Each structure stands twice: as structure tokens, then as C-alpha cells.
Amino acid sequence: MIKHILFDGKVEVGISEINDGNMRFFGEGDESKIIKNQREFGNLMGLSNVVRVRTIYGERKNFTEYAEITKENSSEYSINNFEEEIPISDGLVTRETEVGILLPLADCLGVVAFDKKQKIIGLLHSGRQNIEQNGPKKFIEYFMNTFKSNASDLKIYCSPYALDYRIFKLDKNLGEATKEQFVDAGVLPDNIIDSKVDTVSSDCFPSYSSGDANRRFAIVVKQV
């Protein structure tokens, strides 16, 4: 596992590697094993309460579904639940300091957003569908509309992703399109940290683009 302490020591990010186990639910395999892997990953981050961003495709039309995690609803999103029990979302946000947010990934971007003034943290799944629907910009607007955040106060971290993945509809790559929408929403360019780690060429992470369709790594984030 890789750990980062970000934003003046206020945010801790953990990124699992292949040796930490598969983080992907198959829907037809041993879900209890995936739950075990995710729980152990949370434990490595010192977390007993971890919720999960569950993004699925299928017949969905809206890929910009965001939700706030509170003490009252965290059990619904818990990684201890089976896949079909977790509500669908493309990004989760919380004020709770004892709650970690987890997102399984292959080549898409896991984006951490943090408002130090409001003490709010969020994790976004920035993939093709989300980006084509202006999802990164709408995620910032969710902070602004729900928590009265100022976009210029937000700090952003971009996880490892497929650096050369193209969003053909926008004629931009994954990272470029994501960061452009953040800036368009009012985030300051200097407040955006890009890991610039390529999941396709790295030996540390499973990559769908490299033919590994069955495994995922994960990012988990918490306030410190």
C-alpha cells in the first residue's frame, strides 16, 4: 500500500497495490473475499468505518450522482455490505472524521477533494461517462451548493490513472479533461496535485487497458 499525507497534514490517502488483493466485486464470485480485502485495506489506514463509492454502468443515464455520508446513513454505504446492497454513486462527500471513503479503480481517476475551511472531504470516480456529463465540474458545484464551499478553497488530488486514455468526445485525455473542468468550476490550478502515475505502464496496479479486466486496486481517503 502507498500512503500520502496531503494538504498540510489534514488528509491521508491510501492506494492499494496488487499485493493488497483484488478490490473488485464480480457480482458472481466470492464477494466475501472482496469485502475482506477492502476491510483489511481500511484497517491499514486505521479505519473501522469505511464507505464505498459504488459506480456501475448498465442502463444508467446519469453518471453524476453524488451523496453526503453522515453518521445516520454510513451503514448503507459500508464496505461490509454486499455489492447490490450499496447505493449507487459517482462520488461521496463527508464531514465525519472517523469515516473513510473507498473507491475501486482500474484506469479511471480517483479524485480527492478537500475543503479545509468547512472540513469536508470527498472522493470522485472520474471516468469517461462522468467526464462527458461534466461530472468533475458538477462535483465542485455539489460542494458549493450543499456545503457553501468556495471553489478557490478546494484542494484536489488525482490518483494513478491511465495517462494516455482519450475522451474522444472531448478530444482530451482523462487527466486533462478532469482538471480542465475543475478549473472551469473555480478551482485554482495550483491547488490541483496530479500523481502522474500511469496505471497502464506501472507494475503496481491492475489495468483494464492492459488486459486485466478482473481486478481492481482501490483508493481510500480520510481526514486526519
Side-chain angles (χ1 to χ4, degrees):
M1 182 183 70
I2 300 166
K3 277 189 180 182
H4 297 298
I5 304 296
L6 302 173
F7 313 138
D8 300 321
K10 298 299 182 182
V11 171
E12 187 171 329
V13 174
I15 303 170
S16 74
E17 299 176 278
I18 288 175
N19 291 339
D20 294 307
N22 186 15
M23 301 293 171
R24 182 193 180 198
F25 281 98
F26 297 98
E28 56 186 18
D30 186 356
E31 289 195 332
S32 62
K33 183 177 181 180
I34 306 303
I35 290 172
K36 180 175 180 290
N37 290 342
Q38 294 186 358
R39 187 185 297 124
E40 289 178 350
F41 182 37
N43 289 340
L44 289 175
M45 291 288 290
L47 290 163
S48 59
N49 188 1
V50 182
V51 298
R52 186 165 75 84
V53 181
R54 180 194 171 208
T55 297
I56 64 173
Y57 300 99
E59 300 299 320
R60 289 181 72 199
K61 302 295 184 184
N62 177 16
F63 290 91
T64 61
E65 298 184 51
Y66 309 128
E68 179 186 3
I69 298 300
T70 64
K71 291 179 180 178
E72 290 72 28
N73 70 0
S74 65
S75 62
E76 298 177 45
Y77 292 83
S78 173
I79 58 172
N80 295 318
N81 298 335
F82 287 98
E83 168 79 348
E84 63 183 11
E85 298 170 346
I86 301 173
I88 296 168
S89 65
D90 299 286
L92 295 176
V93 177
T94 189
R95 298 178 184 269
E96 304 299 327
T97 57
E98 302 300 319
V99 175
I101 307 174
L102 180 145
L103 169 65
L105 291 165
D107 293 318
C108 294
L109 246 174
V111 179
V112 178
F114 178 61
D115 184 336
K116 182 179 179 179
K117 289 185 177 179
Q118 301 283 3
K119 297 183 179 179
I120 301 163
I121 196 164
L123 186 57
L124 168 71
H125 177 266
S126 186
R128 178 180 64 81
Q129 291 88 341
N130 177 262
I131 292 170
E132 288 180 348
Q133 296 181 6
N134 291 312
K137 182 177 182 179
K138 291 178 181 177
F139 194 56
I140 301 304
E141 291 172 346
Y142 181 81
F143 269 80
M144 296 166 67
N145 295 333
T146 307
F147 306 104
K148 307 304 179 186
S149 294
N150 188 325
S152 63
D153 292 331
L154 294 178
K155 307 286 188 178
I156 302 292
Y157 168 79
C158 299
S159 77
Y161 62 100
L163 299 187
D164 292 330
Y165 184 89
R166 297 295 290 177
I167 310 296
F168 290 105
K169 187 175 180 179
L170 303 179
D171 194 27
K172 293 179 173 65
N173 67 34
L174 186 66
E176 180 186 11
T178 298
K179 289 180 283 186
E180 183 178 276
Q181 288 188 29
F182 284 143
V183 172
D184 190 45
V187 176
L188 301 178
D190 288 345
N191 286 351
I192 301 174
I193 300 172
D194 188 340
S195 69
K196 296 184 179 179
V197 175
D198 186 18
T199 53
V200 179
S201 61
S202 174
D203 294 329
C204 297
F205 311 108
S207 167
Y208 189 89
S209 297
S210 294
D212 194 339
N214 294 324
R215 293 187 297 177
R216 299 287 186 272
F217 69 98
I219 178 173
V220 66
V221 60
K222 68 174 184 178
Q223 294 196 62
V224 177

